[in-house]
Amino acid sequence: MALMLNIEDLLNKQKIESNRIEFKKGWNPVTIYHSICAFANDFDDLGGGYILVGVDTDENGVAKRPMVGMPEEQIDDILQDMIGYNAKFGPYYMPRTSTEDVDGKKVLVIWCPAGVNRPYSIPENVTAKHSKEYFYVRCGTSSIIAKGEVLDDLRDLAGRVPFDDKGNPDIK
């Protein structure tokens, strides 16, 4: 599995949102988990993606400097909440996280490598007790619900992994 990129590399090489990177000014688990799911599903086989929380953008999707950042006292609570939200994935999926200092502010980096057990679904609202689950994919800079032919193609991706490359969950 590839290593998470350095945050300055992410900001310098990818100053604008894309199908592999998303900037969020603040923590909103509902929309962020749609994107985590879409990156995990990796519909275009790009290797997943990154969500940078604490990064504001202009009207063109370009990251604004200096960073807005995240309140440091909120980060531990967010990471704890993520444990519960991750459990809502079907099948289970866990993104990687890192807290980085940029422009004197804290930025939460969520790395979402392509999942090996795709397709993944997540409730429409991860903060609600009961919410309908959907499969999400990236379409340009947006995370959208996979429907119709896109959903069929997403499900077909699971069958493209050769048998010899699949893990055996029953092995002891």
Side-chain angles (χ1 to χ4, degrees), residues 79-132:
L79 295 175
Q80 291 297 316
D81 289 345
M82 286 181 72
I83 294 168
Y85 301 145
N86 294 344
K88 294 185 176 191
F89 273 106
Y92 182 79
Y93 177 81
M94 185 181 74
R96 284 30 169 213
T97 59
S98 172
T99 305
E100 304 293 332
D101 289 310
V102 182
D103 301 337
K105 305 283 182 147
K106 296 290 184 189
V107 173
L108 177 63
V109 179
I110 305 171
W111 176 39
C112 312
V116 295
N117 295 315
R118 62 185 170 186
Y120 295 94
S121 64
I122 194 76
E124 183 176 28
N125 183 347
V126 293
T127 63
K129 288 215 183 265
H130 303 288
S131 184
K132 186 170 167 96

Side-chain angles (χ1 to χ4, degrees), residues 110-172:
I110 305 171
W111 176 39
C112 312
V116 295
N117 295 315
R118 62 185 170 186
Y120 295 94
S121 64
I122 194 76
E124 183 176 28
N125 183 347
V126 293
T127 63
K129 288 215 183 265
H130 303 288
S131 184
K132 186 170 167 96
E133 288 189 17
Y134 292 101
F135 298 93
Y136 291 86
V137 295
R138 287 296 277 187
C139 180
T141 61
S142 299
S143 297
I144 62 168
I145 295 172
K147 298 178 185 175
E149 190 176 311
V150 172
L151 182 56
D152 293 340
D153 288 347
L154 179 61
R155 288 183 173 137
D156 285 345
L157 286 173
R160 292 186 195 158
V161 177
F163 175 78
D164 291 343
D165 290 343
K166 291 183 180 181
N168 182 352
D170 298 325
I171 198 166
K172 302 227 185 294

